[in-house]
Amino acid sequence: MSAAVLRAQSTPPRPATELQRAADEFKVLSRELGFREDSPKKASNSGASRPQFHGRLSENFRNDVLDAVPHEIAQRGGDKNLLRRNQWGFNVSGPVIIPRLYNGGRKTFFSLSYEGVRERIGRSSLRTVPIATEREGDYSQVVDSAGEPQEIYDPSTTRLNPAYNPSLEISRDNLQYIKDPYPNNRIPVDRQDPIARKILAFYPQPNSDAGPFFRNNYFAVAPETNKASGMIAKVDHSFLEKHRLAVSYAFTNGFAGSATFIPNAADSAAPDRNYVNRRGSLEYVYTASPQSVNTLTFEAHSDVNENVSDSGDWPAQLGLTGVPGQAFPRIELGSYLAMGRNSPQARNARSTFVLTDAHSLRVGKHNVRMVGQFVRYHVNTFNPGLPSGAYYFTSALTSLPGIVNTGQNFASFLLGGVDTSDYSDVPTPSYFRNWTMVTAVQDTWEYRQGLTFSFGLNILTSAPRTERYNRQSTVDLSVLNPSNGRLGALVFAGKGGYGSAFQPIAVKPQPNLSLAWNPRGNRKAVLRLSYAMSYQAYPIYNGQWGTRGFTGHPNYYSANSQLVPAFTLRQGVPPTPKPIPDLTPTAADDTNATILETEGHLPRYQSVGASYERELTGGFVLTGSLGVSWGRDLFVGNYAVNPDALRPETMSYRDKLNDQAFNRSLRPYPQFIATDVFSQWPDGRYRREAASARVEKRTAQGLSLTGTYEYSRQYDDYSGPYGKQDFFNRHNEWGLTAGNNPQRLSLTYMYELPIGTSKPYLVFPDWRRYLTDGWSISGISSVSSGDPLSLRAQFNNTGGVLQTVRVNVVPGVNPLPENQGPDLWFNPAAFSHPDDFEMGSGPRTHPTLRNPMTQNHDLSVSKRFAIDQERSMEFTASGFNFINNANWNLPDTVIGTESSPNVNAGKIIGSRGGRVVQLGLRFSF
């Protein structure tokens, strides 16, 4: 039932865990074992039968001693990876018997399962950090992407150029502002910021030379830790012949420790977290007759995640003032490895309550299923994402104003010159709520033998997010802001005529229909046609987005990034001009304002499918499928929507746009620094066309296999990966979906070896049968073509008008090299860098170039030892990527200018992958 409702909401079901599968098996097993009233009767030679308990004990073991050295480790000079994994558990089921008190017999039975995991696995990452001399401010050896000396300029020498001609474009021969280069390209020690020097003490030194030049010079290998323990308990009781009651409870406690990039408090990896999951359900089934069954279910889920990364009053230790947090500050250095974690301390508790009533009724040739489901969501979240602040350093401060490929992010950091900064001031948690309701009717009509129709209608009712104490807000773009008389002011739930929610309750019909037909009455052939339409309900996320005024997020920015910083680290973060709480219409001014779309549009998905299945001789089944799906109003984020974007034609102002006051005056909502729609703006569109063929060999002579090939084309206007170039022309953004693999081939197989008892070979009646019986092999192989390449320009000198710049396509030049390989995956000469203040003419994703294909092959060998009729031991040896295949990494898709080319464009650095062996043992009884 829950799967049907989830499908109606276009939310794919989560893969079942081993524990969940054990619980789902319980109902089937209990019938087969004779524990239920509808179990088949078994003959007995004795007057009484003893209770039977069945179950299994299992252990799966992995250790790097058994594995191949991963290719990415070997390529960096390593000879060993870390992998320690133990996964163990048990399952036991049988009748509930309490001696002298209760004998459940065939009415009451139970299932109890446990699973534990302990894992430490090495994760690797190749990053870039400053070289030794660069750390000291000596740029005499630092080069750009073309291998030329990196120019840096002294911002303290900035002055107007008296020879500047405003009628001409800015160039090296016509500068508006002049800066002097540092003598010998070295930043004097006394000019370096003392706070930056303290932070730098936590930054790692280079340890690799992957290149090119000094890039990709830091190879981090660190263990990821996973610890989890969980149980599922279920009791099933049948009474009064037509009634059944089932109660289940499950829990999981765990710890997820992230692999670190930096082995100290400055680490920028995801925070470690503790998690606790609880799930309980109560199910009542009433079977009025074989034609009428009603199922009433109540479920409750609780998922608690708590980030537990270290904190130690780091701002005070570093001498950084003006921020309330204690975590290590977040330092962003462009292409260099960042420092400091996002959300180092947070707690999110999600609770879900589900009440479902489903009734199945057969009337004549109609099977009718009626479902009603109500789901209530509670999300209690405390998430100060940047308690000690984030500090962004750009190359602009140490650049020659108006000239690309000058200046450098790390040089600006050494000076302590912050370009932009913000921090989180979150005094209280948020308590978000919403609900959905689904009512559905599905009729499966067996019109005649060999022809079945199915019609259904689901009604989705979705309520928007509310906050328990009305502590949420949004910018209303139809309300005048008193600070400047322009549209766009902050409004608050429960105040000024607004309700507890900013969006209406949405009611959406979700029809579906299908047919299954045996052409000419041939039962070995089936034609299926289908159509479905569905909507996605309002989401409710972790985090405290949309609470401005109740929470504080001060933003600081440079008046002109090429001339002056917002502030320096030694100065500390300036006092916030808007202490919280601030429940005024101007509370979001001069910040990254949060905006919620309030019309109530929900993502709509539609699909049409056709398939033909034919059973052939030899136990083969061949299936061919065609499908088209499309969607509109999909929820997208800031990479795809910007209500405050500048139109591309404003780039005609050129370098004037670097003046923030002038830049903001051109925007629709100049009172805001930027806008933030999170991931809740319904503006995305996509279309997918797919054809597939499947060959299935059903079990015969111990062999079963399934082979599937799919070819697809998927397009959208939002998938990035670098964001939209033009927010005002949807057609220009329509392209192949980034991340979609157009071709996929997979093969799964299982083969019982033809040796041993009841097999044609090696049949022995004596002790040797224990060696030859019960052997089988199974495996899965998959091959996927690469997803579309996305090329981008190295420099974005557009005055903040464009968030990304695409490349131009050079006419007549083949983008595919003659000998494609890691040394040259695509031809960079087929593309060029746009001029300053111009958009690239190329597509968002390339129509023909693809990333490298990937493949994986897993194999498992099993041996079953039969102890007696009811007990057995099974040993399994599995090889994941057993052929030790290496998949290439992605090519460098950044295209430089003619004067400063990226010499690494089109090249691939290294590969990834390695064989992992798992040994397993399972005892069944």
Side-chain angles (χ1 to χ4, degrees):
M1 165 53 232
S2 58
V5 174
L6 287 172
R7 183 187 59 171
Q9 300 183 49
S10 296
T11 303
R14 296 181 179 178
T17 65
E18 184 69 24
L19 290 174
Q20 291 170 333
R21 286 194 293 269
D24 294 338
E25 287 178 3
F26 185 52
K27 185 184 300 183
V28 176
L29 291 173
S30 62
R31 183 181 184 277
E32 295 175 351
L33 296 173
F35 297 150
R36 296 177 51 159
E37 291 187 342
D38 59 347
S39 299
K41 304 297 183 182
K42 294 184 179 181
S44 176
N45 295 326
S46 62
S49 61
R50 62 182 180 88
Q52 296 186 14
F53 296 94
H54 293 257
R56 64 174 68 96
L57 302 172
S58 64
E59 158 71 12
N60 292 308
F61 167 80
R62 299 183 194 177
N63 192 292
D64 53 67
V65 173
L66 305 173
D67 302 338
V69 178
H71 294 275
E72 62 271 23
I73 300 289
Q75 290 158 11
R76 304 278 77 80
D79 59 2
K80 186 179 179 61
N81 190 31
L82 170 66
L83 177 55
R84 302 285 191 277
R85 177 183 172 91
N86 283 278
Q87 181 181 13
W88 67 95
F90 70 83
N91 168 255
V92 61
S93 60
V96 174
I97 297 175
I98 303 176
R100 299 183 181 181
L101 294 178
Y102 183 76
N103 186 339
R106 292 168 59 169
K107 292 186 176 182
T108 308
F109 53 94
F110 75 96
S111 173
L112 183 66
S113 301
Y114 169 84
E115 184 178 289
V117 175
R118 300 294 183 269
E119 179 182 55
R120 281 171 58 84
I121 180 171
R123 303 295 187 190
S124 61
S125 179
L126 187 61
R127 300 300 179 95
T128 301
V129 298
I131 62 176
T133 56
E134 186 180 1
R135 293 169 65 100
E136 302 305 317
D138 182 356
Y139 273 73
S140 61
Q141 300 180 40
V142 180
V143 297
D144 62 16
S145 59
E148 298 297 325
Q150 180 68 63
E151 302 175 52
I152 59 170
Y153 291 84
D154 185 351
S156 69
T157 64
T158 304
R159 59 197 183 276
L160 283 169
N161 179 12
Y164 169 62
N165 185 350
S167 65
L168 300 176
E169 294 180 0
I170 288 178
S171 66
R172 286 183 181 269
D173 297 325
N174 186 44
L175 295 170
Q176 182 179 9
Y177 293 93
I178 300 174
K179 291 180 184 179
D180 296 333
Y182 283 102
N184 301 316
N185 226 24
R186 297 183 180 184
I187 302 175
V189 175
D190 60 357
R191 291 288 308 282
Q192 297 179 30
D193 190 283
I195 309 300
R197 297 301 311 177
K198 289 183 179 179
I199 293 174
L200 187 57
F202 295 87
Y203 210 30
Q205 296 275 359
N207 63 5
S208 178
D209 59 355
F213 311 120
F214 299 115
R215 287 191 284 172
N216 301 303
N217 61 1
Y218 179 65
F219 187 61
V221 181
E224 176 184 284
T225 302
N226 298 295
K227 300 178 181 179
S229 298
M231 295 192 74
I232 294 178
K234 183 174 182 180
V235 175
D236 198 317
H237 177 65
S238 299
F239 59 100
L240 299 179
E241 296 185 355
K242 297 183 177 181
H243 303 266
R244 185 173 63 82
L245 187 66
V247 180
S248 68
Y249 176 75
F251 74 85
T252 302
N253 298 330
F255 170 78
S258 297
T260 59
F261 299 133
I262 304 173
N264 56 50
D267 183 40
S268 54
D272 300 339
R273 63 185 179 91
N274 292 318
Y275 58 91
V276 176
N277 304 324
R278 300 289 184 266
R279 175 176 178 173
S281 69
L282 178 65
E283 180 184 70
Y284 168 65
V285 180
Y286 172 58
T287 306
S289 69
Q291 292 77 35
S292 179
V293 179
N294 192 85
T295 303
L296 180 65
T297 306
F298 175 75
E299 299 175 77
H301 315 261
S302 174
D303 301 294
V304 179
N305 288 269
E306 185 173 6
N307 295 352
V308 292
S309 296
D310 293 337
S311 61
D313 200 9
W314 283 104
Q317 293 188 50
L318 297 170
L320 180 64
T321 61
V323 290
Q326 294 189 337
F328 201 94
R330 178 78 176 181
I331 307 295
E332 293 279 357
L333 300 169
S335 61
Y336 283 12
L337 177 64
M339 290 183 279
R341 302 177 190 261
N342 289 314
S343 301
Q345 301 288 327
R347 189 177 191 275
N348 298 290
R350 299 181 66 92
S351 298
T352 306
F353 306 93
V354 185
L355 179 64
T356 307
D357 190 27
H359 189 81
S360 297
L361 181 66
R362 181 171 180 84
V363 180
K365 294 184 177 182
H366 295 267
N367 286 312
V368 181
R369 184 169 179 80
M370 296 166 284
V371 178
Q373 184 178 77
F374 180 82
V375 185
R376 175 76 172 179
Y377 301 97
H378 291 185
V379 175
N380 301 337
T381 178
F382 180 71
N383 193 348
L386 300 166
S388 298
Y391 308 87
Y392 301 86
F393 299 88
T394 69
S395 61
L397 183 64
T398 49
S399 71
L400 192 59
I403 307 301
V404 300
N405 200 36
T406 61
Q408 206 248 15
N409 303 65
F410 187 75
S412 300
F413 165 74
L414 288 177
L415 297 174
V418 178
D419 184 67
T420 59
S421 177
D422 63 289
Y423 69 85
S424 306
D425 187 3
V426 181
T428 59
S430 295
Y431 303 91
F432 297 125
R433 309 286 186 261
N434 78 348
W435 55 266
T436 61
M437 184 170 62
V438 174
T439 54
V441 177
Q442 192 76 30
D443 179 15
T444 302
W445 178 26
E446 298 175 7
Y447 176 71
R448 59 177 172 81
Q449 186 175 358
L451 180 61
T452 301
F453 297 95
S454 182
F455 310 89
L457 178 63
N458 296 351
I459 303 297
L460 171 68
T461 305
S462 180
R465 189 186 81 171
T466 62
E467 206 277 336
R468 183 178 180 183
Y469 302 104
N470 280 340
R471 292 187 302 217
Q472 63 175 350
S473 61
T474 186
V475 168
D476 190 330
L477 299 179
S478 65
V479 175
L480 290 176
N481 191 309
S483 67
N484 60 0
R486 302 282 290 268
L487 292 175
L490 196 65
V491 297
F492 303 89
K495 300 181 184 297
Y498 291 88
S500 58
F502 296 112
Q503 298 163 304
I505 294 176
V507 180
K508 302 293 183 180
Q510 303 182 125
N512 70 83
L513 58 92
S514 64
L515 69 84
W517 175 46
N518 300 119
R520 299 179 181 179
N522 184 358
R523 291 180 174 271
K524 294 185 176 182
V526 182
L527 174 67
R528 295 183 175 91
L529 303 175
S530 64
Y531 166 80
M533 182 174 72
S534 61
Y535 289 84
Q536 179 182 343
Y538 287 119
I540 181 167
Y541 299 114
N542 294 342
Q544 293 178 265
W545 180 87
T547 59
R548 294 292 167 88
F550 302 100
T551 59
H553 303 269
N555 290 82
Y556 305 92
Y557 57 93
S558 168
N560 188 322
S561 297
Q562 298 181 348
L563 306 181
V564 294
F567 60 88
T568 62
L569 293 175
R570 75 174 77 198
Q571 291 171 342
V573 180
T576 175
K578 297 178 180 294
I580 56 171
D582 181 4
L583 306 187
T584 64
T586 62
D589 290 6
D590 294 313
T591 71
N592 189 2
T594 56
I595 303 180
L596 183 68
E597 195 276 337
T598 58
E599 295 297 319
H601 297 291
L602 294 180
R604 186 182 69 184
Y605 302 85
Q606 297 184 79
S607 63
V608 176
S611 69
Y612 181 75
E613 179 182 299
R614 180 63 186 266
E615 184 177 345
L616 307 176
T617 58
F620 285 92
V621 178
L622 177 64
T623 305
S625 301
L626 297 173
V628 179
S629 60
W630 63 98
R632 61 177 300 160
D633 296 333
L634 276 62
F635 288 129
V636 294
N638 298 316
Y639 56 88
V641 171
N642 183 0
D644 202 27
L646 285 170
R647 302 193 71 86
E649 50 265 29
T650 60
M651 287 190 291
S652 61
Y653 290 107
R654 297 185 66 84
D655 292 87
K656 291 181 181 179
L657 294 165
N658 293 316
D659 183 296
Q660 282 298 308
F662 177 75
N663 186 299
R664 288 174 64 179
S665 71
L666 302 176
R667 295 183 180 273
Y669 311 103
Q671 59 270 35
F672 308 128
I673 293 177
T675 54
D676 179 11
V677 302
F678 200 52
S679 298
Q680 300 191 55
W681 199 276
D683 194 57
R685 297 186 181 186
Y686 91 99
R687 180 180 177 88
R688 176 180 172 85
E689 302 160 352
S692 66
R694 177 180 178 181
V695 178
E696 180 181 0
K697 175 67 167 67
R698 295 175 177 172
T699 302
Q701 298 179 345
L703 174 65
S704 63
L705 59 85
T706 301
T708 303
Y709 170 78
E710 181 190 68
Y711 176 79
S712 66
R713 294 185 303 180
Q714 183 167 321
Y715 300 87
D716 66 54
D717 59 5
Y718 60 85
S719 64
Y722 306 112
K724 283 186 176 181
Q725 179 180 244
D726 187 354
F727 289 107
F728 300 92
N729 192 328
R730 185 187 296 273
H731 176 75
N732 282 352
E733 299 301 322
W734 187 258
L736 290 170
T737 297
N740 179 66
N741 304 101
Q743 298 187 71
R744 297 175 183 268
L745 177 66
S746 66
L747 174 68
T748 60
Y749 53 89
M750 194 278 287
Y751 181 51
E752 296 179 6
L753 297 185
I755 59 175
T757 304
S758 302
K759 304 294 183 181
Y761 306 109
L762 301 182
V763 179
F764 300 108
D766 52 22
W767 60 269
R768 288 175 293 180
R769 72 177 185 273
Y770 293 109
L771 301 178
T772 59
D773 288 1
W775 286 96
S776 65
I777 61 172
S778 60
I780 179 170
S781 293
S782 61
V783 181
S784 298
S785 63
D787 61 313
L789 251 65
S790 299
L791 298 106
R792 64 184 177 96
Q794 182 170 1
F795 304 108
N796 183 351
N797 190 15
T798 63
V801 176
L802 306 181
Q803 68 172 344
T804 188
V805 179
R806 297 188 206 148
V807 299
N808 292 328
V809 176
V810 178
V813 180
N814 188 354
L816 193 66
E818 291 185 5
N819 299 309
Q820 187 182 43
D823 292 333
L824 194 62
W825 191 257
F826 67 88
N827 181 11
F831 309 97
S832 65
H833 195 293
D835 292 336
D836 293 345
F837 299 98
E838 288 188 6
M839 290 195 299
S841 61
R844 180 171 53 85
T845 52
H846 200 275
T848 59
L849 291 178
R850 301 289 182 267
N851 283 310
M853 64 173 285
T854 59
Q855 58 178 305
N856 186 72
H857 308 277
D858 299 335
L859 179 69
S860 180
V861 179
S862 299
K863 172 68 173 77
R864 182 176 182 273
F865 299 89
I867 301 173
D868 55 33
Q869 290 185 346
E870 296 185 349
R871 292 180 297 171
S872 65
M873 186 77 74
E874 184 176 2
F875 172 77
T876 303
S878 302
F880 304 102
N881 186 19
F882 76 95
I883 65 173
N884 198 30
N885 175 68
N887 290 311
W888 291 115
N889 290 326
L890 302 182
D892 189 337
T893 57
V894 176
I895 303 298
T897 63
E898 185 177 352
S899 60
S900 181
N902 174 21
V903 299
N904 198 53
K907 297 180 179 180
I908 293 175
I909 298 178
S911 56
R912 303 183 68 86
R915 180 175 54 248
V916 174
V917 174
Q918 175 175 288
L919 303 180
L921 193 63
R922 183 172 68 178
F923 172 67
S924 301
F925 61 92

